Amino acid sequence: MGLWIFLIILIYSFLKTTGEYETATRLSLIIIPLYSAIMMILGIGQNFTPLTMLVTLLLILVGIEIGLFQTRNVKLKISNEKDKLGLPKVKIKRGWYYLLGWIIIFIIGILVELFYGAEMDRTELSEKLIIEILRDISSIVMFTNKSSWFIWVLNVSSSWTYDTYLFLEYPKLRQYVVLRQRN
């Protein structure tokens, strides 16, 4: 029962943050995708087979589509708040398309795991959902939690697509996060 209560609280928190503006950071838009790419390469290297490469290619294509889907209705605003360099903070509101894409990635991850022979009951599924939500809302969990190679592939392909689109579409975001320049 405690697991379900914790899951409900996490889902509520995750849903709430998806609909709110959050400050754009190098950690979330650059460092975590780079870390994910490294983990993806290491994971694929440990599981290298022709089937793994085929699944990887398919997941990259699906991840790119999901990343593009997640960019729909993303909103960006320049805040009146200043960061430690005195620059106005850039805030992003991810929205419902981001959430739906996240859910699709979670489902695909479960399906790939089942394809590779895993068996799962409701408790294990709930635990996986908790871990994935925590990975999205906490960088500590992102860096300390072990994930399967295919989760890293989906994460890399969708997040790189999402971030690249945002950087191309919103030069102010690129200036704030990547270049750290004044407007």
Side-chain angles (χ1 to χ4, degrees):
M1 182 68 167
L3 176 69
W4 289 99
I5 293 170
F6 184 61
L7 181 59
I8 290 168
I9 292 169
L10 273 179
I11 290 171
Y12 172 76
S13 173
F14 185 59
L15 290 174
K16 187 174 179 242
T17 59
T18 301
E20 296 176 346
Y21 281 95
E22 296 178 313
T23 302
T25 65
R26 279 188 175 181
L27 178 67
S28 65
L29 295 171
I30 296 174
I31 295 171
I32 288 177
L34 282 173
Y35 175 77
S36 297
I38 292 167
M39 296 307 291
M40 176 189 79
I41 292 166
L42 293 174
I44 291 171
Q46 292 174 350
N47 299 288
F48 189 81
T49 66
L51 179 60
T52 299
M53 295 315 298
L54 178 62
V55 171
T56 298
L57 180 62
L58 292 172
L59 290 176
I60 287 172
L61 294 173
V62 169
I64 289 169
E65 287 297 319
I66 292 170
L68 289 172
F69 176 78
Q70 288 179 310
T71 62
R72 293 182 181 186
N73 289 345
V74 169
K75 296 191 179 3
L76 190 101
K77 74 176 182 178
I78 310 298
S79 171
N80 292 331
E81 299 174 52
K82 304 280 185 191
D83 69 2
K84 62 184 174 191
L85 298 175
L87 299 170
K89 290 184 178 181
V90 177
K91 297 194 174 202
I92 299 173
K93 183 177 179 181
R94 298 181 293 187
W96 291 103
Y97 286 99
Y98 178 87
L99 178 63
L100 186 55
W102 187 94
I103 291 168
I104 292 168
I105 288 171
F106 177 75
I107 291 169
I108 291 171
I110 296 299
L111 292 174
V112 172
E113 199 163 333
L114 294 172
F115 172 76
Y116 276 98
E119 294 182 20
M120 223 175 285
D121 61 18
R122 286 191 320 195
T123 301
E124 289 171 310
L125 187 62
S126 300
E127 289 170 356
K128 287 192 178 298
L129 182 57
I130 287 170
I131 289 169
E132 288 305 314
I133 292 172
L134 286 172
R135 282 170 43 100
D136 196 83
I137 62 177
S138 169
S139 56
I140 293 171
V141 176
M142 172 61 82
F143 290 118
T144 59
N145 184 265
K146 184 179 176 189
S147 288
S148 301
W149 63 270
F150 47 85
I151 297 298
W152 290 117
V153 170
L154 284 166
N155 186 313
V156 167
S157 58
S158 63
S159 67
W160 277 77
T161 303
Y162 178 84
D163 296 349
T164 301
Y165 174 86
L166 291 179
F167 289 146
L168 292 173
E169 186 70 21
Y170 302 104
K172 299 271 187 210
L173 177 65
R174 186 174 59 248
Q175 287 176 333
Y176 180 70
V177 174
V178 180
L179 304 174
R180 302 297 286 166
Q181 296 176 353
R182 289 195 175 271
N183 299 337

